[in-house]
Amino acid sequence: MKHDLLNYLNHRNAPLPAGKWTMYQKWENLLCMHVPLEAAELLPYVPKELELDMYDGKAWISIFPFKVKNLQFRGLPKWPYIHKF
Protein backbone atom coordinates (compact mmCIF):
# COMPACT_ATOMS: atom_id res chain seq x y z
CA MET A 1 0.00 0.00 0.00
CA LYS A 2 1.57 3.30 -1.10
CA HIS A 3 0.58 6.68 0.32
CA ASP A 4 1.97 9.91 -1.13
CA LEU A 5 1.43 11.54 2.27
CA LEU A 6 4.26 9.39 3.64
CA ASN A 7 6.65 11.10 1.21
CA TYR A 8 5.87 14.58 2.59
CA LEU A 9 8.86 15.42 4.81
CA ASN A 10 8.86 19.22 5.19
CA HIS A 11 7.30 19.04 8.67
CA ARG A 12 10.00 16.75 10.09
CA ASN A 13 12.70 18.12 12.36
CA ALA A 14 14.87 15.02 11.85
CA PRO A 15 15.61 12.83 8.83
CA LEU A 16 13.75 9.59 8.26
CA PRO A 17 15.41 6.52 9.78
CA ALA A 18 17.85 4.82 7.43
CA GLY A 19 16.62 1.29 8.10
CA LYS A 20 13.38 -0.51 7.41
CA TRP A 21 10.42 -0.15 9.74
CA THR A 22 10.44 -2.52 12.72
CA MET A 23 6.89 -2.26 14.00
CA TYR A 24 3.46 -1.47 12.59
CA GLN A 25 0.40 -0.19 14.42
CA LYS A 26 -2.80 1.53 13.40
CA TRP A 27 -4.37 4.24 15.58
CA GLU A 28 -8.14 4.70 15.51
CA ASN A 29 -10.62 6.97 17.26
CA LEU A 30 -7.95 9.44 18.37
CA LEU A 31 -9.20 12.36 20.45
CA CYS A 32 -7.01 15.33 21.41
CA MET A 33 -8.23 16.97 24.61
CA HIS A 34 -6.55 20.03 26.11
CA VAL A 35 -7.92 20.95 29.52
CA PRO A 36 -7.17 24.15 31.49
CA LEU A 37 -6.68 23.85 35.26
CA GLU A 38 -5.60 26.10 38.07
CA ALA A 39 -1.87 25.58 38.65
CA ALA A 40 -2.43 24.93 42.37
CA GLU A 41 -4.70 21.97 41.53
CA LEU A 42 -2.09 20.33 39.33
CA LEU A 43 1.18 21.06 41.18
CA PRO A 44 0.87 18.24 43.77
CA TYR A 45 0.92 15.70 40.90
CA VAL A 46 3.85 17.13 38.93
CA PRO A 47 7.47 16.24 39.82
CA LYS A 48 9.42 19.32 40.92
CA GLU A 49 11.89 18.79 38.03
CA LEU A 50 9.11 19.57 35.53
CA GLU A 51 7.40 22.87 34.85
CA LEU A 52 3.75 23.38 34.07
CA ASP A 53 2.63 24.33 30.59
CA MET A 54 0.97 27.70 31.20
CA TYR A 55 -1.18 29.76 28.86
CA ASP A 56 -3.35 32.73 29.72
CA GLY A 57 -2.71 32.19 33.44
CA LYS A 58 -3.87 28.55 33.43
CA ALA A 59 -2.02 25.27 33.54
CA TRP A 60 -2.92 22.88 30.72
CA ILE A 61 -2.94 19.11 30.49
CA SER A 62 -3.39 17.15 27.28
CA ILE A 63 -5.08 13.77 27.04
CA PHE A 64 -4.98 11.59 23.92
CA PRO A 65 -7.15 8.48 24.16
CA PHE A 66 -7.00 6.18 21.15
CA LYS A 67 -7.33 2.57 20.05
CA VAL A 68 -4.33 0.62 18.73
CA LYS A 69 -4.99 -2.13 16.18
CA ASN A 70 -2.81 -4.50 14.14
CA LEU A 71 0.25 -4.10 16.38
CA GLN A 72 3.04 -6.35 15.13
CA PHE A 73 6.78 -6.47 14.57
CA ARG A 74 8.07 -6.73 11.02
CA GLY A 75 8.17 -10.31 9.78
CA LEU A 76 6.35 -11.74 12.80
CA PRO A 77 2.71 -12.66 13.25
CA LYS A 78 0.45 -10.54 15.44
CA TRP A 79 0.71 -11.32 19.14
CA PRO A 80 -2.32 -13.14 20.49
CA TYR A 81 -4.55 -10.91 22.65
CA ILE A 82 -2.25 -7.87 22.62
CA HIS A 83 -2.27 -6.83 18.97
CA LYS A 84 -5.12 -4.43 19.77
CA PHE A 85 -5.82 -2.37 22.86
mmCIF file with all atom_site columns, all heavy atoms in Angstrom, residues 6 10 22 29 32 52 58 61 63 74 76 80 84:
data_model
loop_
_atom_site.group_PDB
_atom_site.id
_atom_site.type_symbol
_atom_site.label_atom_id
_atom_site.label_alt_id
_atom_site.label_comp_id
_atom_site.label_asym_id
_atom_site.label_entity_id
_atom_site.label_seq_id
_atom_site.pdbx_PDB_ins_code
_atom_site.Cartn_x
_atom_site.Cartn_y
_atom_site.Cartn_z
_atom_site.occupancy
_atom_site.B_iso_or_equiv
_atom_site.pdbx_formal_charge
_atom_site.auth_seq_id
_atom_site.auth_comp_id
_atom_site.auth_asym_id
_atom_site.auth_atom_id
_atom_site.pdbx_PDB_model_num
ATOM 1   N N   . LEU A 1 6  ? 3.072   9.859   2.936  1.00 0.00 ? 6  LEU A N   1
ATOM 2   C CA  . LEU A 1 6  ? 4.262   9.394   3.641  1.00 0.00 ? 6  LEU A CA  1
ATOM 3   C C   . LEU A 1 6  ? 5.544   9.963   3.049  1.00 0.00 ? 6  LEU A C   1
ATOM 4   O O   . LEU A 1 6  ? 6.597   9.919   3.685  1.00 0.00 ? 6  LEU A O   1
ATOM 5   C CB  . LEU A 1 6  ? 4.314   7.867   3.631  1.00 0.00 ? 6  LEU A CB  1
ATOM 6   C CG  . LEU A 1 6  ? 3.145   7.171   4.321  1.00 0.00 ? 6  LEU A CG  1
ATOM 7   C CD1 . LEU A 1 6  ? 3.276   5.669   4.179  1.00 0.00 ? 6  LEU A CD1 1
ATOM 8   C CD2 . LEU A 1 6  ? 3.044   7.576   5.767  1.00 0.00 ? 6  LEU A CD2 1
ATOM 9   N N   . ASN A 1 10 ? 8.530   17.852  4.788  1.00 0.00 ? 10 ASN A N   1
ATOM 10  C CA  . ASN A 1 10 ? 8.857   19.222  5.189  1.00 0.00 ? 10 ASN A CA  1
ATOM 11  C C   . ASN A 1 10 ? 8.575   19.510  6.661  1.00 0.00 ? 10 ASN A C   1
ATOM 12  O O   . ASN A 1 10 ? 9.188   20.397  7.246  1.00 0.00 ? 10 ASN A O   1
ATOM 13  C CB  . ASN A 1 10 ? 8.096   20.219  4.323  1.00 0.00 ? 10 ASN A CB  1
ATOM 14  C CG  . ASN A 1 10 ? 8.560   20.200  2.887  1.00 0.00 ? 10 ASN A CG  1
ATOM 15  O OD1 . ASN A 1 10 ? 9.641   19.701  2.589  1.00 0.00 ? 10 ASN A OD1 1
ATOM 16  N ND2 . ASN A 1 10 ? 7.751   20.731  1.994  1.00 0.00 ? 10 ASN A ND2 1
ATOM 17  N N   . THR A 1 22 ? 10.353  -1.338  11.854 1.00 0.00 ? 22 THR A N   1
ATOM 18  C CA  . THR A 1 22 ? 10.441  -2.517  12.720 1.00 0.00 ? 22 THR A CA  1
ATOM 19  C C   . THR A 1 22 ? 9.106   -2.908  13.327 1.00 0.00 ? 22 THR A C   1
ATOM 20  O O   . THR A 1 22 ? 8.926   -4.035  13.748 1.00 0.00 ? 22 THR A O   1
ATOM 21  C CB  . THR A 1 22 ? 11.442  -2.291  13.865 1.00 0.00 ? 22 THR A CB  1
ATOM 22  O OG1 . THR A 1 22 ? 11.045  -1.137  14.601 1.00 0.00 ? 22 THR A OG1 1
ATOM 23  C CG2 . THR A 1 22 ? 12.848  -2.101  13.326 1.00 0.00 ? 22 THR A CG2 1
ATOM 24  N N   . ASN A 1 29 ? -9.804  6.236   16.287 1.00 0.00 ? 29 ASN A N   1
ATOM 25  C CA  . ASN A 1 29 ? -10.620 6.970   17.257 1.00 0.00 ? 29 ASN A CA  1
ATOM 26  C C   . ASN A 1 29 ? -9.777  7.856   18.172 1.00 0.00 ? 29 ASN A C   1
ATOM 27  O O   . ASN A 1 29 ? -9.999  7.915   19.380 1.00 0.00 ? 29 ASN A O   1
ATOM 28  C CB  . ASN A 1 29 ? -11.468 6.013   18.094 1.00 0.00 ? 29 ASN A CB  1
ATOM 29  C CG  . ASN A 1 29 ? -12.338 5.135   17.237 1.00 0.00 ? 29 ASN A CG  1
ATOM 30  O OD1 . ASN A 1 29 ? -12.854 5.569   16.211 1.00 0.00 ? 29 ASN A OD1 1
ATOM 31  N ND2 . ASN A 1 29 ? -12.491 3.885   17.617 1.00 0.00 ? 29 ASN A ND2 1
ATOM 32  N N   . CYS A 1 32 ? -7.970  14.421  20.768 1.00 0.00 ? 32 CYS A N   1
ATOM 33  C CA  . CYS A 1 32 ? -7.012  15.326  21.408 1.00 0.00 ? 32 CYS A CA  1
ATOM 34  C C   . CYS A 1 32 ? -7.783  16.257  22.337 1.00 0.00 ? 32 CYS A C   1
ATOM 35  O O   . CYS A 1 32 ? -8.582  17.064  21.871 1.00 0.00 ? 32 CYS A O   1
ATOM 36  C CB  . CYS A 1 32 ? -6.262  16.143  20.370 1.00 0.00 ? 32 CYS A CB  1
ATOM 37  S SG  . CYS A 1 32 ? -5.344  15.169  19.198 1.00 0.00 ? 32 CYS A SG  1
ATOM 38  N N   . LEU A 1 52 ? 5.088   23.455  34.641 1.00 0.00 ? 52 LEU A N   1
ATOM 39  C CA  . LEU A 1 52 ? 3.752   23.384  34.067 1.00 0.00 ? 52 LEU A CA  1
ATOM 40  C C   . LEU A 1 52 ? 3.703   24.136  32.745 1.00 0.00 ? 52 LEU A C   1
ATOM 41  O O   . LEU A 1 52 ? 4.379   25.148  32.567 1.00 0.00 ? 52 LEU A O   1
ATOM 42  C CB  . LEU A 1 52 ? 2.731   23.999  35.028 1.00 0.00 ? 52 LEU A CB  1
ATOM 43  C CG  . LEU A 1 52 ? 2.513   23.255  36.333 1.00 0.00 ? 52 LEU A CG  1
ATOM 44  C CD1 . LEU A 1 52 ? 1.529   24.015  37.207 1.00 0.00 ? 52 LEU A CD1 1
ATOM 45  C CD2 . LEU A 1 52 ? 2.018   21.852  36.081 1.00 0.00 ? 52 LEU A CD2 1
ATOM 46  N N   . LYS A 1 58 ? -3.386  29.886  33.048 1.00 0.00 ? 58 LYS A N   1
ATOM 47  C CA  . LYS A 1 58 ? -3.872  28.555  33.432 1.00 0.00 ? 58 LYS A CA  1
ATOM 48  C C   . LYS A 1 58 ? -2.828  27.503  33.087 1.00 0.00 ? 58 LYS A C   1
ATOM 49  O O   . LYS A 1 58 ? -2.072  27.646  32.130 1.00 0.00 ? 58 LYS A O   1
ATOM 50  C CB  . LYS A 1 58 ? -5.167  28.202  32.676 1.00 0.00 ? 58 LYS A CB  1
ATOM 51  C CG  . LYS A 1 58 ? -6.315  29.125  32.927 1.00 0.00 ? 58 LYS A CG  1
ATOM 52  C CD  . LYS A 1 58 ? -7.059  28.688  34.149 1.00 0.00 ? 58 LYS A CD  1
ATOM 53  C CE  . LYS A 1 58 ? -8.334  29.508  34.260 1.00 0.00 ? 58 LYS A CE  1
ATOM 54  N NZ  . LYS A 1 58 ? -9.080  29.199  35.434 1.00 0.00 ? 58 LYS A NZ  1
ATOM 55  N N   . ILE A 1 61 ? -3.317  20.510  30.678 1.00 0.00 ? 61 ILE A N   1
ATOM 56  C CA  . ILE A 1 61 ? -2.941  19.109  30.487 1.00 0.00 ? 61 ILE A CA  1
ATOM 57  C C   . ILE A 1 61 ? -3.556  18.651  29.166 1.00 0.00 ? 61 ILE A C   1
ATOM 58  O O   . ILE A 1 61 ? -4.576  19.175  28.725 1.00 0.00 ? 61 ILE A O   1
ATOM 59  C CB  . ILE A 1 61 ? -3.392  18.194  31.647 1.00 0.00 ? 61 ILE A CB  1
ATOM 60  C CG1 . ILE A 1 61 ? -4.919  18.190  31.794 1.00 0.00 ? 61 ILE A CG1 1
ATOM 61  C CG2 . ILE A 1 61 ? -2.730  18.601  32.943 1.00 0.00 ? 61 ILE A CG2 1
ATOM 62  C CD1 . ILE A 1 61 ? -5.431  17.138  32.744 1.00 0.00 ? 61 ILE A CD1 1
ATOM 63  N N   . ILE A 1 63 ? -4.713  15.181  26.945 1.00 0.00 ? 63 ILE A N   1
ATOM 64  C CA  . ILE A 1 63 ? -5.085  13.768  27.037 1.00 0.00 ? 63 ILE A CA  1
ATOM 65  C C   . ILE A 1 63 ? -5.393  13.273  25.629 1.00 0.00 ? 63 ILE A C   1
ATOM 66  O O   . ILE A 1 63 ? -6.123  13.930  24.890 1.00 0.00 ? 63 ILE A O   1
ATOM 67  C CB  . ILE A 1 63 ? -6.314  13.582  27.943 1.00 0.00 ? 63 ILE A CB  1
ATOM 68  C CG1 . ILE A 1 63 ? -6.032  14.176  29.327 1.00 0.00 ? 63 ILE A CG1 1
ATOM 69  C CG2 . ILE A 1 63 ? -6.711  12.114  28.044 1.00 0.00 ? 63 ILE A CG2 1
ATOM 70  C CD1 . ILE A 1 63 ? -7.253  14.333  30.183 1.00 0.00 ? 63 ILE A CD1 1
ATOM 71  N N   . ARG A 1 74 ? 7.821   -6.361  12.409 1.00 0.00 ? 74 ARG A N   1
ATOM 72  C CA  . ARG A 1 74 ? 8.074   -6.733  11.019 1.00 0.00 ? 74 ARG A CA  1
ATOM 73  C C   . ARG A 1 74 ? 8.482   -8.203  10.915 1.00 0.00 ? 74 ARG A C   1
ATOM 74  O O   . ARG A 1 74 ? 9.355   -8.669  11.634 1.00 0.00 ? 74 ARG A O   1
ATOM 75  C CB  . ARG A 1 74 ? 9.172   -5.838  10.450 1.00 0.00 ? 74 ARG A CB  1
ATOM 76  C CG  . ARG A 1 74 ? 9.453   -6.076  8.997  1.00 0.00 ? 74 ARG A CG  1
ATOM 77  C CD  . ARG A 1 74 ? 10.624  -5.195  8.531  1.00 0.00 ? 74 ARG A CD  1
ATOM 78  N NE  . ARG A 1 74 ? 10.682  -5.192  7.106  1.00 0.00 ? 74 ARG A NE  1
ATOM 79  C CZ  . ARG A 1 74 ? 10.216  -4.227  6.326  1.00 0.00 ? 74 ARG A CZ  1
ATOM 80  N NH1 . ARG A 1 74 ? 9.668   -3.163  6.859  1.00 0.00 ? 74 ARG A NH1 1
ATOM 81  N NH2 . ARG A 1 74 ? 10.298  -4.306  5.027  1.00 0.00 ? 74 ARG A NH2 1
ATOM 82  N N   . LEU A 1 76 ? 6.906   -10.842 11.784 1.00 0.00 ? 76 LEU A N   1
ATOM 83  C CA  . LEU A 1 76 ? 6.350   -11.738 12.797 1.00 0.00 ? 76 LEU A CA  1
ATOM 84  C C   . LEU A 1 76 ? 4.833   -11.668 12.765 1.00 0.00 ? 76 LEU A C   1
ATOM 85  O O   . LEU A 1 76 ? 4.262   -10.649 12.380 1.00 0.00 ? 76 LEU A O   1
ATOM 86  C CB  . LEU A 1 76 ? 6.841   -11.346 14.196 1.00 0.00 ? 76 LEU A CB  1
ATOM 87  C CG  . LEU A 1 76 ? 8.340   -11.463 14.446 1.00 0.00 ? 76 LEU A CG  1
ATOM 88  C CD1 . LEU A 1 76 ? 8.675   -10.939 15.836 1.00 0.00 ? 76 LEU A CD1 1
ATOM 89  C CD2 . LEU A 1 76 ? 8.806   -12.895 14.294 1.00 0.00 ? 76 LEU A CD2 1
ATOM 90  N N   . PRO A 1 80 ? -0.957  -12.821 20.035 1.00 0.00 ? 80 PRO A N   1
ATOM 91  C CA  . PRO A 1 80 ? -2.320  -13.135 20.492 1.00 0.00 ? 80 PRO A CA  1
ATOM 92  C C   . PRO A 1 80 ? -2.721  -12.209 21.647 1.00 0.00 ? 80 PRO A C   1
ATOM 93  O O   . PRO A 1 80 ? -1.924  -11.935 22.537 1.00 0.00 ? 80 PRO A O   1
ATOM 94  C CB  . PRO A 1 80 ? -2.219  -14.573 20.984 1.00 0.00 ? 80 PRO A CB  1
ATOM 95  C CG  . PRO A 1 80 ? -0.962  -15.115 20.404 1.00 0.00 ? 80 PRO A CG  1
ATOM 96  C CD  . PRO A 1 80 ? -0.061  -13.945 20.174 1.00 0.00 ? 80 PRO A CD  1
ATOM 97  N N   . LYS A 1 84 ? -4.225  -5.587  19.743 1.00 0.00 ? 84 LYS A N   1
ATOM 98  C CA  . LYS A 1 84 ? -5.118  -4.433  19.768 1.00 0.00 ? 84 LYS A CA  1
ATOM 99  C C   . LYS A 1 84 ? -5.455  -4.105  21.219 1.00 0.00 ? 84 LYS A C   1
ATOM 100 O O   . LYS A 1 84 ? -5.622  -4.980  22.056 1.00 0.00 ? 84 LYS A O   1
ATOM 101 C CB  . LYS A 1 84 ? -6.382  -4.674  18.958 1.00 0.00 ? 84 LYS A CB  1
ATOM 102 C CG  . LYS A 1 84 ? -7.208  -5.839  19.408 1.00 0.00 ? 84 LYS A CG  1
ATOM 103 C CD  . LYS A 1 84 ? -8.410  -6.003  18.498 1.00 0.00 ? 84 LYS A CD  1
ATOM 104 C CE  . LYS A 1 84 ? -9.208  -7.237  18.902 1.00 0.00 ? 84 LYS A CE  1
ATOM 105 N NZ  . LYS A 1 84 ? -10.349 -7.439  18.034 1.00 0.00 ? 84 LYS A NZ  1
#
